[in-house]
Amino acid sequence: VGPSLFALCFGEAVLNDAVAIVLYDTVLPFAEEGQQLTVGNAFGAIGSFLGVSTASLAMGVGFGAVGSLTLKHAGIKERPELEVLVLLALASRSAP
């Protein structure tokens, strides 16, 4: 499998997982409280979904930018073990 196809399939799978998690968290309060679905609740759920999705995307882009700039300008290409440690540290900071 070519690298482009792998990246597309992996990215699509991660996006599907993220959408499912956000959608679950959006719908869960309505199921627990036994509320009726009204127009106001529907717009609230849509707003919550869009807000969480936008915030997650912004955080991902932010952590990705910080990580890539750190690895680019830190001059650690000569020491691969340090590069791996920085990469793991950045990855652990982006996990919830």
Side-chain angles (χ1 to χ4, degrees):
V1 176
S4 296
L5 180 60
F6 175 77
L8 286 173
C9 290
F10 182 73
E12 189 266 340
V14 170
L15 182 64
N16 281 345
D17 292 348
V19 168
I21 291 169
V22 172
L23 191 57
Y24 176 80
D25 287 341
T26 302
V27 174
L28 186 64
F30 298 110
E32 287 179 346
E33 297 172 8
Q35 294 181 353
Q36 295 292 330
L37 184 61
T38 63
V39 175
N41 289 345
F43 280 120
I46 291 170
S48 174
F49 179 80
L50 293 175
V52 170
S53 298
T54 303
S56 298
L57 181 65
M59 287 176 57
V61 168
F63 278 111
V66 168
S68 64
L69 288 173
T70 300
L71 291 174
K72 179 179 179 182
H73 294 294
I76 57 176
K77 292 181 182 179
E78 297 80 28
R79 299 190 56 201
E81 66 278 357
L82 186 58
E83 184 176 4
V84 170
L85 286 174
V86 170
L87 184 64
L88 290 174
L90 288 169
S92 68
R93 292 293 300 156
S94 66

